[in-house]
Amino acid sequence: WVLSSLILPDDDSGLDAALRHDRDIAKALVADASFYDNAEIASQLLGATIAAAITAAKEVNTSCSGGGDIGKSAQKKKKRKRSKSFESGGASRTEALLCVPSEPSFQPLTMESLAEAYKAVASDDSSLRSISPTSFAKGGGLDKALHSLRFANGLPADLITRTCKPSHVDLLLRLDAHAQDILCTSSGLGAEALQQLVCFASASKLALERVVVAATFPFTADSHGSLCSAESQQALLEATYRSYLGVAKLGCESFADYSLHSGRVIELLLSNALLTYRNDSLLLQTFSGATDRVVSVEDGSGVTDVGFIAKVLFLRSITRGLINADSGVLRSRDPANEMRVSDLFFPLAFFEGRFWKLLIGFITDDNAGAHERAEILTLQEAVLLVGDLVLYASSLPPKVSGPIEPLLQSAMENVFRSVFDKAFRDNLCGKASGSLRSSLYYLVASAPRLCCNLTSIDAPIATLEIMKKHFKMSSGDPDSLLDAAFCGIVQHVDTKQT
């Protein structure tokens, strides 16, 4: 009753008095902390909410155009059998995944069937699917699924930790694969429908993130089930990159929100792979291989292409996972070949390669971020990626970081001034200007020593100028990133400088 009442539309139009009354009571109940003290309710609430989201997602009506279902096309292309738990004759490639334990057809995901699901999402299938407008309407399938997920994502963290079960991971992996699938293959949608679809995929990622965090580390088959194998994680990484391409193609401004939650899941998986590297290097090699493949994809993309945007988003997910790792973990070695973790990611060749040059060239282009909001968001993510890579390089042993540092210093000579000029342009709208300024502050906070060694600009003076401009434009509101940038510059400034 609580869940069915909560997913009722917030708009009172079309609801009779009894339904409005039920909805308001349900909202009052879940807003009361004592509601979660009932052990019987608490133990079932998360699972019931996820099941409700899956049941609602099954109501999303899709139809396929130009390619048939993935099971048939995969058999023709690859001539191999697909797992029965994944095979679908419906319009969506992952529709058969949408079942819950109470249904007779339910079978727990295996490592193989999960890998098959994500491989389907990552596949280059030309079929596009249209979603019925009723799915996006208030009370429609997607609307109800999104309401359920938002409720799940609002549950107290301690309740998730206490009541999370392996079956919850299983169910959310199903929902995540399906959300990415329809995100990548939907067509003919208006701006509002696209926004709702991306929000649904983001909410699925956030829910998955919360239950993965609540389970034990390192992963075990008992706690994380089908997610434990290198094959399933590789397929998830490939599907994530494909979903980044899909979001970028949609041109939706909310790709930053989606990439945040999607990237967070990758960070958690990478953290697990780092913890197990000494005993089993296969998982981490999966991440390293996926990173190399994304960087080397020959998609003909320039800096304005969706391929470039997808690469930036994916690489930020990887670098954030590496940055958050303990420095001792980054120096750990594989007993079999003595390779360190730091040998697997972003070697010298990366900073001498094509993508790094594209990245720096995009940031320093005078026209980058000068027009549409989506361009500014891409510029912001590109600047943040440079900051991430500088932070990662600073954590490496001197023998490894030494040859890389001159390339980073050279890049910073142009990047610092270019971003400084763009962040304080008068023609940027307030929100876009603020987000770009934040990326500048993060860049300086990530590379204070490199900034202090700049020859083309006096970084300490420029940082003081940034602070003046910030407080003038923000009415004196403090900014923790700007504080960190200023403190970093002060720590590395030459004592002869004033």
Side-chain angles (χ1 to χ4, degrees), residues 145-405:
L146 185 55
H147 269 75
S148 297
L149 284 171
R150 283 173 172 166
F151 174 65
N153 293 332
L155 291 174
D158 65 313
L159 183 141
I160 303 293
T161 302
R162 285 188 286 111
T163 64
C164 182
K165 302 174 183 177
S167 61
H168 299 156
V169 179
D170 180 297
L171 293 175
L172 285 170
L173 286 169
R174 295 166 185 267
L175 201 56
D176 176 58
H178 182 67
Q180 290 189 77
D181 183 22
I182 59 175
L183 181 64
C184 292
T185 58
S186 296
S187 66
L189 299 178
E192 188 174 343
L194 286 176
Q195 177 73 19
Q196 192 172 1
L197 194 57
V198 175
C199 287
F200 172 59
S202 299
S204 299
K205 286 290 186 185
L206 177 56
L208 179 60
E209 171 197 334
R210 297 190 81 202
V211 297
V212 170
V213 167
T216 57
F217 275 75
F219 294 176
T220 65
D222 290 336
S223 64
H224 291 79
S226 57
L227 195 55
C228 290
S229 74
E231 182 185 13
S232 60
Q233 292 194 23
Q234 177 178 326
L236 185 149
L237 292 173
E238 292 171 352
T240 300
Y241 175 67
R242 176 72 193 284
S243 70
Y244 285 157
L245 284 170
V247 174
K249 287 177 182 176
L250 295 177
C252 186
E253 292 186 2
S254 60
F255 74 75
D257 184 55
Y258 175 75
S259 67
L260 172 66
H261 299 309
S262 188
R264 179 61 179 149
V265 172
I266 292 180
E267 290 176 51
L268 293 169
L269 299 180
L270 180 54
S271 297
N272 173 71
L274 289 166
L275 290 174
T276 60
Y277 182 65
R278 286 192 180 96
N279 300 321
D280 182 3
S281 62
L282 187 57
L283 282 179
L284 196 61
Q285 289 172 6
T286 296
F287 281 84
S288 173
T291 302
D292 292 342
R293 284 192 296 276
V294 166
V295 171
S296 62
V297 166
E298 292 293 341
D299 53 8
S301 65
V303 294
T304 59
D305 193 273
V306 294
F308 173 77
I309 300 171
K311 287 180 181 181
V312 169
L313 297 178
F314 185 87
L315 295 180
R316 281 217 69 211
S317 303
I318 298 295
T319 53
R320 288 200 301 269
L322 294 170
I323 291 168
N324 292 330
D326 182 84
S327 59
V329 172
L330 294 178
R331 289 174 170 80
S332 61
R333 296 177 182 269
D334 180 358
N337 54 26
E338 290 298 305
M339 287 191 68
R340 291 171 298 198
V341 171
S342 56
D343 297 328
L344 299 176
F345 296 92
F346 305 108
L348 177 62
F350 171 82
F351 295 96
E352 295 174 335
R354 176 176 178 270
F355 179 76
W356 176 253
K357 294 175 182 177
L358 272 177
L359 181 67
I360 301 304
F362 169 69
I363 294 172
T364 56
D365 189 321
D366 289 340
N367 293 321
H371 304 293
E372 297 181 0
R373 165 80 172 146
E375 289 183 14
I376 298 170
L377 289 173
T378 304
L379 177 61
Q380 174 191 344
E381 292 294 323
V383 174
L384 292 173
L385 176 58
V386 172
D388 290 340
L389 288 166
V390 171
L391 269 179
Y392 171 66
S394 67
S395 67
L396 301 177
K399 186 177 180 180
V400 179
S401 62
I404 296 175
E405 188 164 316

Side-chain angles (χ1 to χ4, degrees), residues 409 412 416 443-445 447-455 457-460 463 489:
Q409 186 68 61
M412 285 295 294
F416 183 94
L443 180 67
V444 177
R449 186 166 58 83
L450 295 180
C451 289
C452 287
N453 290 335
L454 295 176
T455 58
I457 190 171
D458 190 321
T463 303
I489 291 292

